[in-house]
Amino acid sequence: MMGSRFRAALTLAAGGLMAAGCGAGAAEPSGGGESAPSAPHGRVEGAQEAAEPQRRLVLADTSAGSLHTVDPATEKAAGVGKAGEAAGAEVAATDGRFAYFSSGGAATVLDSGAWTVDHGDHVHYYTSEPAVLGEVAAGGGLRAAADTAVSALASEAGIRILDRAALEDGEVARTAAGLDGATALPYGRRLVVVGEDGAVRVFGRSGESASAGIAEDCPDPRGQAVTRRGAVVGCSDGALVVTGEGASLEAEKIPYPDEGAGPVRSFHHRPQAPVLAGAAGGDGVWVLDVGAGEWSLLDAGPAAAVSAAGEQMPVLVLGEDGRLSAYDSATGERTARNRLMDAETAGASPAPALTIDTGRAYVNDPAADAVYEVDYNDDLRLARTFELEFSPDLMVETGW
């Protein structure tokens, strides 16, 4: 496999960020009594604005306890320093800008320095220097989700709600303390919390009770996702889809069909896309089309990693044999296949990650010290191999 060789320069980056805003605020009058020009619309102090999305891969070498970024646009890798809880980390999660690496006792919080601000009718894209911000208590099975006000972390140690503005200023600060549950999703200016007992409650983003809850329950909650068509929580009997906003949140259950396969334990998808994929134990891959309200089961065999690109787009499955396959989610037909690694690497723990953005998929290969960039719209063509000088044991993609 041909590719570019990156040298990972271990330089510790720093720099706090001002909270993102879209107002064109005027400056204080100058000494001559004239007003200074107003700031450009959408400006964020300390960040550079770009005309298109800025993606970054954030990776952890768990044996060395080091954190790194790779910029696919420039093909540059950089070390972001070391963090105590990165050593032996087992799980990586992201909320779009911030990455979290959990060792089962705490999670290291890293600002990737790449993010998107979506105002509905227009979008801003920003970059800044990445930096390690600190740690937060967390357990196994870490998951993350965010809106403009909070970042919600859910793990076996419970729920941690972090103040988003503080994170953007470089500080790890909790808010909405005291919430108990298995899953917490910021959605519709509320926090949707599902308890271990399956009860679904709704809170304000400061932790105050916002409603009597949602009538539908969600037994054995595990997988979660936020999409353009609603927030989704995986349950033992199907998927709970929450829609609406504020006091008008409502939910419906999409039950599993009678296929005999086990429930998903996690959902994977292109950010915001309303088609989700999750391994169905050793029985294949579940695909949930949130808009259509339908499940389908792909006969893909045991999977090391899965993800879905979106509506009328492929579902990607990295098999335990190391081969990446693309499937038509509507017909279940396999449309392409490409071997990326051997079975021993694909079956290692932690398993390789498979991330998807608008044009490419990325798969990490710790055994080869490499990340593979795949064009999933071109028969899984291997576009580039990022050859690294560290082991990319864990990987997430940010900038969305």
Side-chain angles (χ1 to χ4, degrees), residues 320-322 339 341-349 352 367:
E320 291 184 347
D321 59 0
R339 179 175 291 280
M341 62 190 69
D342 59 31
E344 183 178 359
T345 300
S349 181

PDB file of all heavy atoms in Angstrom, residues 320-322 339 341-349 352 367:
ATOM      1  N   GLU A 320     -14.339  -9.563  10.645  1.00  0.00           N
ATOM      2  CA  GLU A 320     -13.289 -10.073  11.522  1.00  0.00           C
ATOM      3  C   GLU A 320     -12.160 -10.733  10.744  1.00  0.00           C
ATOM      4  O   GLU A 320     -11.117 -11.055  11.311  1.00  0.00           O
ATOM      5  CB  GLU A 320     -13.889 -11.045  12.538  1.00  0.00           C
ATOM      6  CG  GLU A 320     -14.780 -10.357  13.566  1.00  0.00           C
ATOM      7  CD  GLU A 320     -15.284 -11.303  14.631  1.00  0.00           C
ATOM      8  OE1 GLU A 320     -15.158 -12.536  14.458  1.00  0.00           O
ATOM      9  OE2 GLU A 320     -15.820 -10.818  15.644  1.00  0.00           O
ATOM     10  N   ASP A 321     -12.352 -10.902   9.430  1.00  0.00           N
ATOM     11  CA  ASP A 321     -11.283 -11.424   8.576  1.00  0.00           C
ATOM     12  C   ASP A 321     -10.396 -10.314   8.020  1.00  0.00           C
ATOM     13  O   ASP A 321      -9.457 -10.580   7.270  1.00  0.00           O
ATOM     14  CB  ASP A 321     -11.870 -12.244   7.422  1.00  0.00           C
ATOM     15  CG  ASP A 321     -12.816 -11.423   6.543  1.00  0.00           C
ATOM     16  OD1 ASP A 321     -13.013 -10.224   6.820  1.00  0.00           O
ATOM     17  OD2 ASP A 321     -13.360 -11.992   5.573  1.00  0.00           O
ATOM     18  N   GLY A 322     -10.687  -9.037   8.368  1.00  0.00           N
ATOM     19  CA  GLY A 322      -9.872  -7.913   7.927  1.00  0.00           C
ATOM     20  C   GLY A 322     -10.285  -7.312   6.600  1.00  0.00           C
ATOM     21  O   GLY A 322      -9.628  -6.397   6.103  1.00  0.00           O
ATOM     22  N   ARG A 339      -9.542  -5.985   1.028  1.00  0.00           N
ATOM     23  CA  ARG A 339      -8.841  -6.430   2.230  1.00  0.00           C
ATOM     24  C   ARG A 339      -7.930  -5.297   2.715  1.00  0.00           C
ATOM     25  O   ARG A 339      -7.089  -4.794   1.966  1.00  0.00           O
ATOM     26  CB  ARG A 339      -8.013  -7.678   1.972  1.00  0.00           C
ATOM     27  CG  ARG A 339      -7.259  -8.149   3.225  1.00  0.00           C
ATOM     28  CD  ARG A 339      -6.529  -9.448   3.001  1.00  0.00           C
ATOM     29  NE  ARG A 339      -7.449 -10.563   2.842  1.00  0.00           N
ATOM     30  CZ  ARG A 339      -8.042 -11.184   3.867  1.00  0.00           C
ATOM     31  NH1 ARG A 339      -7.817 -10.778   5.121  1.00  0.00           N
ATOM     32  NH2 ARG A 339      -8.842 -12.195   3.660  1.00  0.00           N
ATOM     33  N   MET A 341      -6.501  -5.507   6.228  1.00  0.00           N
ATOM     34  CA  MET A 341      -5.603  -6.022   7.257  1.00  0.00           C
ATOM     35  C   MET A 341      -5.856  -7.507   7.442  1.00  0.00           C
ATOM     36  O   MET A 341      -6.800  -8.064   6.872  1.00  0.00           O
ATOM     37  CB  MET A 341      -5.823  -5.262   8.577  1.00  0.00           C
ATOM     38  CG  MET A 341      -7.229  -5.417   9.131  1.00  0.00           C
ATOM     39  SD  MET A 341      -7.600  -4.304  10.531  1.00  0.00           S
ATOM     40  CE  MET A 341      -7.622  -2.709   9.711  1.00  0.00           C
ATOM     41  N   ASP A 342      -5.013  -8.149   8.238  1.00  0.00           N
ATOM     42  CA  ASP A 342      -5.226  -9.579   8.468  1.00  0.00           C
ATOM     43  C   ASP A 342      -6.234  -9.788   9.598  1.00  0.00           C
ATOM     44  O   ASP A 342      -6.604  -8.851  10.315  1.00  0.00           O
ATOM     45  CB  ASP A 342      -3.907 -10.300   8.762  1.00  0.00           C
ATOM     46  CG  ASP A 342      -3.178  -9.753   9.989  1.00  0.00           C
ATOM     47  OD1 ASP A 342      -3.851  -9.271  10.930  1.00  0.00           O
ATOM     48  OD2 ASP A 342      -1.937  -9.807  10.002  1.00  0.00           O
ATOM     49  N   ALA A 343      -6.667 -11.026   9.761  1.00  0.00           N
ATOM     50  CA  ALA A 343      -7.708 -11.345  10.734  1.00  0.00           C
ATOM     51  C   ALA A 343      -7.237 -11.096  12.162  1.00  0.00           C
ATOM     52  O   ALA A 343      -8.025 -10.682  13.018  1.00  0.00           O
ATOM     53  CB  ALA A 343      -8.158 -12.793  10.563  1.00  0.00           C
ATOM     54  N   GLU A 344      -5.968 -11.338  12.433  1.00  0.00           N
ATOM     55  CA  GLU A 344      -5.457 -11.141  13.787  1.00  0.00           C
ATOM     56  C   GLU A 344      -5.573  -9.680  14.210  1.00  0.00           C
ATOM     57  O   GLU A 344      -5.966  -9.372  15.338  1.00  0.00           O
ATOM     58  CB  GLU A 344      -3.998 -11.590  13.868  1.00  0.00           C
ATOM     59  CG  GLU A 344      -3.413 -11.482  15.271  1.00  0.00           C
ATOM     60  CD  GLU A 344      -1.980 -11.988  15.336  1.00  0.00           C
ATOM     61  OE1 GLU A 344      -1.453 -12.440  14.300  1.00  0.00           O
ATOM     62  OE2 GLU A 344      -1.395 -11.934  16.437  1.00  0.00           O
ATOM     63  N   THR A 345      -5.263  -8.763  13.293  1.00  0.00           N
ATOM     64  CA  THR A 345      -5.376  -7.337  13.605  1.00  0.00           C
ATOM     65  C   THR A 345      -6.830  -6.926  13.752  1.00  0.00           C
ATOM     66  O   THR A 345      -7.201  -6.196  14.673  1.00  0.00           O
ATOM     67  CB  THR A 345      -4.709  -6.502  12.511  1.00  0.00           C
ATOM     68  OG1 THR A 345      -3.318  -6.852  12.425  1.00  0.00           O
ATOM     69  CG2 THR A 345      -4.828  -5.016  12.806  1.00  0.00           C
ATOM     70  N   ALA A 346      -7.687  -7.388  12.845  1.00  0.00           N
ATOM     71  CA  ALA A 346      -9.104  -7.024  12.897  1.00  0.00           C
ATOM     72  C   ALA A 346      -9.770  -7.536  14.168  1.00  0.00           C
ATOM     73  O   ALA A 346     -10.695  -6.909  14.692  1.00  0.00           O
ATOM     74  CB  ALA A 346      -9.825  -7.565  11.675  1.00  0.00           C
ATOM     75  N   GLY A 347      -9.283  -8.666  14.688  1.00  0.00           N
ATOM     76  CA  GLY A 347      -9.887  -9.249  15.883  1.00  0.00           C
ATOM     77  C   GLY A 347      -9.244  -8.837  17.174  1.00  0.00           C
ATOM     78  O   GLY A 347      -9.612  -9.346  18.238  1.00  0.00           O
ATOM     79  N   ALA A 348      -8.295  -7.900  17.118  1.00  0.00           N
ATOM     80  CA  ALA A 348      -7.594  -7.468  18.323  1.00  0.00           C
ATOM     81  C   ALA A 348      -8.497  -6.616  19.196  1.00  0.00           C
ATOM     82  O   ALA A 348      -9.571  -6.165  18.782  1.00  0.00           O
ATOM     83  CB  ALA A 348      -6.331  -6.699  17.948  1.00  0.00           C
ATOM     84  N   SER A 349      -8.051  -6.372  20.417  1.00  0.00           N
ATOM     85  CA  SER A 349      -8.777  -5.504  21.346  1.00  0.00           C
ATOM     86  C   SER A 349      -7.840  -4.393  21.815  1.00  0.00           C
ATOM     87  O   SER A 349      -6.727  -4.680  22.264  1.00  0.00           O
ATOM     88  CB  SER A 349      -9.276  -6.307  22.548  1.00  0.00           C
ATOM     89  OG  SER A 349      -9.990  -5.489  23.441  1.00  0.00           O
ATOM     90  N   PRO A 352     -10.427  -2.254  15.668  1.00  0.00           N
ATOM     91  CA  PRO A 352     -10.238  -1.076  14.811  1.00  0.00           C
ATOM     92  C   PRO A 352     -11.509  -0.236  14.757  1.00  0.00           C
ATOM     93  O   PRO A 352     -12.618  -0.735  14.914  1.00  0.00           O
ATOM     94  CB  PRO A 352      -9.910  -1.679  13.439  1.00  0.00           C
ATOM     95  CG  PRO A 352      -9.399  -3.049  13.742  1.00  0.00           C
ATOM     96  CD  PRO A 352     -10.156  -3.510  14.954  1.00  0.00           C
ATOM     97  N   ALA A 367      -1.427  -2.456  14.197  1.00  0.00           N
ATOM     98  CA  ALA A 367      -0.317  -3.374  13.926  1.00  0.00           C
ATOM     99  C   ALA A 367       0.615  -2.835  12.853  1.00  0.00           C
ATOM    100  O   ALA A 367       1.823  -3.102  12.866  1.00  0.00           O
ATOM    101  CB  ALA A 367      -0.856  -4.737  13.520  1.00  0.00           C
TER     102      ALA A 367
END
